[in-house]
Amino acid sequence: MQIKNFAKILLNCSSHADSVAISGHKSPDYDCLCSSIAMQEILKQNGINADILLEKPLDETFDELVRDIPYITETDKVYEVVISVDVPEKNMLPAIAQAKREGALHTFCIDHHQEKEKYMDYMQVLNGESSACEVIFRTFEPYFKLNKKLASIFYLGIYADTGGFIYSNTHSSTFTVLSKLLTQDITADELVSRAFQSVSPNSFEMTKRAMNSVKFYHNGEIAVSVLRQNDFKETNAPYGDSKAIVGYLQRIKGVKVAISIFEPDNKGDFHVSLRTGCPNVDVSKIANKFNGGGHVRASGLKLVGDYDKALNALLNQTKSVLEDKND
Ligand SMILES: [Mn+2]
């Protein structure tokens, strides 16, 4: 839900606090990193210092604009205020942020996913907005001065979560925000090609393997790619670069649900990304069955155990959703 005066309350609590922390979700993406950085900058403009908490250092898949930030991955510090950005539920907070949340006096959440639980004292959740970046921009607009750095950060976050302003979460309000960002003389084309359009030779090799693995099910309506642990090891490609693969599958004519499965390490779990371009298919229904989450068009989940069994369960659930047996 939307809270009136959310920005005022957050700034007021933070300015009276000795310490403030900001955290995005586990396995961070551009929107969550950019919204963390934007939040930190907005607080700074209001005379408040805040640390950004992160599970572990970022790999080289991320552009330097978001990578070269002094993140905190370990600290004994107790934070009086903890702010989560782009995190729909408590379990998606990295462990460090979950621990700091327990000891905080005031907690805030700013998000654009479907609200699952009220895990913070104040929840500013605008479901359906393009990105956490857009929610932050609109919520805090009266309380910050837009500059080139902030505009570039917001632009990257919004670009990432809207797939370059084409997903259905792109609204006219999104373009209103973008038009304001472009007044800051940002080099949007350069930003986008650096962050999203360049691939390393290693990532290209990994993508080739993913493409070779593709199998179709349910009369070509389901496409599945898989990258096992050895594919990541042998190509030496960063896990983060595999996120684009599901987007390729979604573009194949006739495919209603695109599924990319990844085994990032030897812990025995499979990360699954789901996409659909079909207006009458809701992939979050598949994700929810496996305690995952996300949006109607793009969702994710985790499977554990034997690969064949995991794949079977996933395919059965996907077929039920396609056949609409699920309601
Ligand atoms: Mn997001």
Side-chain angles (χ1 to χ4, degrees), residues 125-230:
V125 180
L126 307 187
N127 181 21
E129 296 258 322
S130 69
S131 51
C133 277
E134 186 180 337
V135 179
I136 291 178
F137 185 98
R138 306 222 269 128
T139 302
F140 289 89
E141 200 174 0
Y143 301 98
F144 68 86
K145 193 175 176 320
L146 192 60
N147 55 37
K148 194 171 170 178
K149 182 196 162 192
L150 207 41
S152 303
I153 288 290
F154 277 128
Y155 191 93
L156 273 187
I158 297 172
Y159 187 99
D161 263 27
T162 57
F165 322 126
I166 58 169
Y167 296 161
S168 60
N169 60 356
T170 315
H171 306 293
S172 68
S173 58
T174 316
F175 284 100
T176 305
V177 172
L178 290 167
S179 78
K180 292 176 185 174
L181 301 182
L182 291 173
T183 62
Q184 296 303 306
D185 208 19
I186 58 172
T187 47
D189 53 344
E190 228 176 81
L191 277 176
V192 167
S193 80
R194 248 173 37 202
F196 304 110
Q197 290 171 347
S198 58
V199 256
S200 69
N202 288 354
S203 296
F204 180 69
E205 279 309 314
M206 176 185 66
T207 307
K208 258 164 64 182
R209 288 186 181 217
M211 293 305 153
N212 282 332
S213 78
V214 175
K215 287 203 174 113
F216 296 93
Y217 302 88
H218 208 252
N219 297 321
E221 291 183 350
I222 306 171
V224 181
S225 72
V226 59
L227 285 170
R228 302 296 294 262
Q229 200 195 331
N230 65 313

Side-chain angles (χ1 to χ4, degrees), residues 180-305:
K180 292 176 185 174
L181 301 182
L182 291 173
T183 62
Q184 296 303 306
D185 208 19
I186 58 172
T187 47
D189 53 344
E190 228 176 81
L191 277 176
V192 167
S193 80
R194 248 173 37 202
F196 304 110
Q197 290 171 347
S198 58
V199 256
S200 69
N202 288 354
S203 296
F204 180 69
E205 279 309 314
M206 176 185 66
T207 307
K208 258 164 64 182
R209 288 186 181 217
M211 293 305 153
N212 282 332
S213 78
V214 175
K215 287 203 174 113
F216 296 93
Y217 302 88
H218 208 252
N219 297 321
E221 291 183 350
I222 306 171
V224 181
S225 72
V226 59
L227 285 170
R228 302 296 294 262
Q229 200 195 331
N230 65 313
D231 295 313
F232 289 104
K233 269 195 196 149
E234 287 163 21
T235 59
N236 200 22
Y239 173 62
D241 278 2
S242 61
K243 286 179 188 161
I245 291 162
V246 72
Y248 289 108
L249 305 188
Q250 197 196 328
R251 289 184 218 148
I252 304 166
K253 281 195 178 140
V255 169
K256 292 186 174 170
V257 178
I259 301 178
S260 278
I261 305 175
F262 314 104
E263 185 187 23
D265 44 45
N266 59 0
K267 288 181 193 151
D269 48 10
F270 298 97
H271 297 204
V272 181
S273 288
L274 304 163
R275 293 283 186 284
T276 185
C278 278
N280 52 355
V281 176
D282 178 355
V283 290
S284 72
K285 284 186 188 166
I286 305 167
N288 288 339
K289 276 275 169 188
F290 298 93
N291 293 319
H295 308 277
V296 175
R297 297 284 170 89
S299 289
L301 61 102
K302 243 185 214 183
L303 293 172
V304 273

Side-chain angles (χ1 to χ4, degrees), residues 25 29 31-32 86 111-113 130-133 161 295:
H25 51 75
D29 58 16
D31 183 36
C32 118
D86 203 34
D111 192 27
H112 68 122
H113 296 91
S130 69
S131 51
C133 277
D161 263 27
H295 308 277

Side-chain angles (χ1 to χ4, degrees), residues 52-108:
I52 300 178
L53 307 178
L54 210 62
E55 212 168 12
K56 53 180 185 223
L58 295 172
D59 63 39
E60 71 272 25
T61 49
F62 288 101
D63 185 69
E64 59 196 34
L65 197 64
V66 299
R67 205 179 54 217
D68 295 346
I69 303 280
Y71 296 105
I72 305 242
T73 52
E74 252 183 54
T75 177
D76 294 336
K77 205 160 149 183
V78 174
Y79 291 95
E80 290 186 7
V81 169
V82 173
I83 303 162
S84 74
V85 292
D86 203 34
V87 187
E89 55 188 307
K90 192 173 71 189
N91 287 341
M92 284 182 68
L93 279 172
I96 181 172
Q98 286 194 32
K100 302 302 173 192
R101 169 188 164 274
E102 302 295 328
L105 293 176
H106 306 285
T107 55
F108 297 85

